Amino acid sequence: MIREIYFAGGCFWGVEHFFKGVHGVASATSGYANGSVECPSYEQVYTDKTGHAETVRVRFDNARTSLQTLVRLFFAIIDPGQGDGQGHDIGTRYRTGVYYNSQEDLPVLEAEFARARKLFAAYAPGTEFYTELRPLGCFYSAEEYHQKYLDKNPGGYCHLDLRVFRYRDLYQDTAALLDGEPDAVAKMAEVAALVQERMGFFWTGFYRVQGQELVLGPFQGPSACIRIGFGKGVCGTAWKQARTVVVPDVEEFPGHIACSSLSRSEIVVPVFGPDGSVTAVLDIDSKELGTFNRTDAEFLQLITELL
């Protein structure tokens, strides 16, 4: 069954290009939504006087992907803490939002917005969440030259962090490979190998919760610390606080455990069990300062949910 949902995520060129590559998406169309002017031109929308937002209509096969997956991917590519704009693009036409045309979708959307708010509050405490959830009032397709813009202009402007396209494919391939596998350690081994192969980080691996310690699990990279105490170092902190921890410079993190002197920045993502408790953490290190940001956090959280 083909269904549709509408995503406003800043400049529609990059958003359309992203969703066009999601498995199960039948089409992605750039356009203008929820404004007061009928059949507006790009020039009219650009004035910010029409009320329209640059929006992508995503038609998808519900048998191949879900509304939940699409919304989670959407939140992984936007910054909900930026109002009336995304990146360097400023204006109400670049606001973020999810617009629906079926009341049946509302429970799923409300649940996903609650999840997104919780994750965003943990990552950026005290920052306002601006992304709107509203019924679709209207949608008009944009001019032909806007459609598949980045296919026509491969070097064209894209406001998205270009890593989102690599992470999109990594996430989808990981989901396919883990589907139906019951063994947790085997799944961790596969994730560590895929992340390391695709993203090229210095060290990628898991630590498993055993009592009051994290014990080294499947990993890719040089030898590492075998055991880490609760609340100790970056990994223990992510476990204790049950949230993703991004460290631009490990030397500035209080109590950092130096498993390797080559590690300069780090991200640690908790893995949650069915009861909501942390069962493991995904630890990734880089030789460069400031490697990780919210893009990494969002997609790695999606990947750990596959476990």
Side-chain angles (χ1 to χ4, degrees):
M1 177 182 177
I2 300 297
R3 298 170 59 189
E4 58 187 37
I5 190 69
Y6 296 76
F7 295 123
C11 176
F12 45 30
W13 294 341
V15 178
E16 179 211 84
H17 195 67
F18 177 85
F19 279 105
K20 192 164 56 66
V22 174
H23 298 164
V25 169
S27 66
T29 303
S30 293
Y32 314 113
N34 282 12
S36 59
V37 175
E38 293 186 7
C39 301
S41 67
Y42 176 74
E43 288 73 20
Q44 287 176 300
V45 173
Y46 196 83
T47 66
D48 269 348
K49 295 179 180 179
T50 66
H52 283 288
E54 290 198 9
T55 301
V56 175
R57 179 181 62 204
V58 174
R59 287 181 169 152
F60 63 100
D61 184 346
N62 197 47
R64 297 183 58 206
T65 192
S66 67
L67 178 61
Q68 179 190 72
T69 295
L70 294 175
V71 176
R72 291 187 180 186
L73 288 171
F74 169 72
F75 276 113
I77 67 172
I78 67 164
D79 177 6
Q82 184 176 357
D84 289 342
Q86 286 291 282
H88 298 296
D89 300 324
I90 306 300
T92 58
R93 64 193 179 279
Y94 296 124
R95 67 186 183 271
T96 59
V98 178
Y99 310 131
Y100 59 94
N101 58 8
S102 172
Q103 198 68 21
E104 294 178 1
D105 291 337
L106 190 55
V108 172
L109 295 174
E110 289 178 334
E112 289 308 308
F113 265 69
R115 172 189 176 276
R117 287 178 183 276
K118 181 179 179 180
L119 290 175
F120 185 68
Y123 182 81
T127 303
E128 189 169 351
F129 185 98
Y130 288 100
T131 305
E132 59 187 17
L133 174 60
R134 294 183 179 177
L136 180 72
C138 59
F139 177 82
Y140 302 99
S141 295
E143 296 82 347
E144 180 57 31
Y145 71 90
H146 288 299
Q147 309 302 332
K148 300 181 180 178
Y149 181 85
L150 290 176
D151 287 336
K152 301 170 184 174
N153 304 274
Y157 171 76
C158 179
H159 75 286
L160 299 178
D161 183 335
L162 295 182
R163 280 178 291 185
V164 304
F165 300 102
R166 295 166 63 194
Y167 270 124
R168 175 197 63 196
D169 296 342
L170 171 62
Y171 171 74
Q172 295 185 127
D173 292 345
T174 302
L177 286 168
L178 299 189
D179 185 35
E181 174 54 55
D183 188 87
V185 174
K187 291 194 286 188
M188 288 181 186
E190 192 73 87
V191 169
L194 281 170
V195 171
Q196 189 75 350
E197 174 190 349
R198 299 291 182 84
M199 305 305 293
F201 298 127
F202 171 57
W203 195 93
T204 302
F206 289 89
Y207 282 91
R208 296 162 294 128
V209 172
Q210 293 190 2
Q212 288 300 300
E213 290 183 309
L214 290 170
V215 179
L216 183 64
F219 71 93
Q220 296 282 318
S223 61
C225 303
I226 295 178
R227 294 177 182 270
I228 299 174
F230 179 73
K232 304 298 184 181
V234 184
C235 289
T237 299
W239 174 22
K240 180 179 180 179
Q241 297 182 0
R243 68 177 183 89
T244 296
V245 177
V246 177
V247 182
D249 183 349
V250 296
E251 297 297 330
E252 295 182 356
F253 188 86
H256 170 64
I257 299 172
C259 294
S260 171
S261 61
L262 296 178
S263 176
R264 303 299 305 280
S265 58
E266 187 173 0
I267 183 171
V268 180
V269 182
V271 179
F272 296 97
D275 63 354
S277 65
V278 177
T279 61
V281 298
L282 170 60
D283 178 22
I284 302 178
D285 291 63
S286 169
K287 290 183 178 181
E288 307 295 329
L289 292 171
T291 295
F292 306 104
N293 59 20
R294 188 173 171 276
T295 293
D296 301 279
E298 286 286 339
F299 275 98
L300 292 171
Q301 283 164 176
L302 284 177
I303 288 169
T304 60
E305 288 174 1
L306 296 173
L307 298 172

